[in-house]
Amino acid sequence: MKIITCCSSINEQGQDFKALVFEFMPNGSLNRWLHIESGMPTLKNTLSLAQRLDIVVDIMDALDYLHNHCQPPIIHCDLKPSNILLAEGMSAQLGDFGIYRIISESESMILQNSNSTIGIRGSIGYVAPEYGEGSSITTFGDVYSLGILLLEVFTGRSPTDDMFRCSMDLHKFSEDALPENIWDIADKTMWLHTGTYDSNTRNMIEKCLVHVIALGVSCLRKHPRERTLIQDAVNEMHAIRDSYLKFSRPLVVEDGAGTILQ
């Protein structure tokens, strides 16, 4: 996210007030669109499949930029829906760099002396498991968080959902559904944006969902270096999104309340 300016002043209680001013994001966080706090799901408060694909492409482009195109590289450390904000056109921007880490120029993947930091870097449900074992902060940790995020965006299930207890978690829940039971785990609010469709459209949607969930699972492998590299994940996600949009665009119409597929 772009920082517009900063300010330093005194508040009404006479205390120091310091703030960073960011660009206003009128559509709030991704979290509010995935997990509706009140009311019934409608076209106006849920996301279509196409919107979700666009959003995750934006997120992955941002992560690839931080890891591979910044000098020195930056590790976000807290990738989750509440830290992803949506602009007026529903484009996604990555925010909240409060616990980010910059990789030493002398190292390609591991932050020097990162074991000296206090506590696990990240949020429960999204933080890479190796961090809990005292491992150094790496870009692979962000990739793990990305995997959880991808599963959450397309299943509508939070990794801290009450249904995930004992041996069941979002990773296993999603992986077990591949490929035959993908419709059982897909977020049903997506279908509010979808009208009647033929077998070709259903097959295209199913293929898209299987590829996205499989990509998310590939980012969650136990050993960090076995996880899909972010640059490879970005290329695959662009291909998945572009393939779906190429197929779906001729079928999109406006019904006055939103966009649906016919």
Side-chain angles (χ1 to χ4, degrees), residues 1-6 19-25 85 93-98:
M1 288 186 63
K2 181 180 180 181
I3 298 178
I4 297 175
T5 187
C6 61
L20 297 175
V21 181
F22 293 88
E23 179 183 357
F24 178 59
M25 296 285 108
L85 302 181
Q93 297 193 29
L94 185 56
D96 195 346
F97 285 76

Side-chain angles (χ1 to χ4, degrees), residues 65-137:
Y65 173 77
L66 294 175
H67 290 182
N68 299 313
H69 302 283
C70 285
Q71 293 299 327
I74 297 172
I75 304 174
H76 186 274
C77 293
D78 200 18
L79 188 65
K80 59 182 179 179
S82 59
N83 286 340
I84 295 160
L85 302 181
L86 302 175
E88 185 173 1
M90 296 300 285
S91 61
Q93 297 193 29
L94 185 56
D96 195 346
F97 285 76
I99 61 172
Y100 79 97
R101 286 293 181 267
I102 298 176
I103 301 177
S104 169
E105 292 183 3
S106 63
E107 299 169 308
S108 59
M109 300 302 293
I110 301 177
L111 178 67
Q112 191 175 26
N113 298 325
S114 62
N115 282 331
S116 64
T117 59
I118 299 175
I120 298 175
R121 311 304 295 183
S123 299
I124 294 174
Y126 302 90
V127 65
E130 63 267 20
Y131 290 173
E133 300 170 356
S135 295
S136 299
I137 296 171

Side-chain angles (χ1 to χ4, degrees), residues 168-187:
M168 178 60 71
D169 56 21
L170 181 57
H171 180 183
K172 182 173 175 57
F173 172 76
S174 303
E175 187 173 26
D176 286 352
L178 291 172
E180 291 86 1
N181 298 318
I182 197 68
W183 293 97
D184 295 337
I185 68 167
D187 187 352

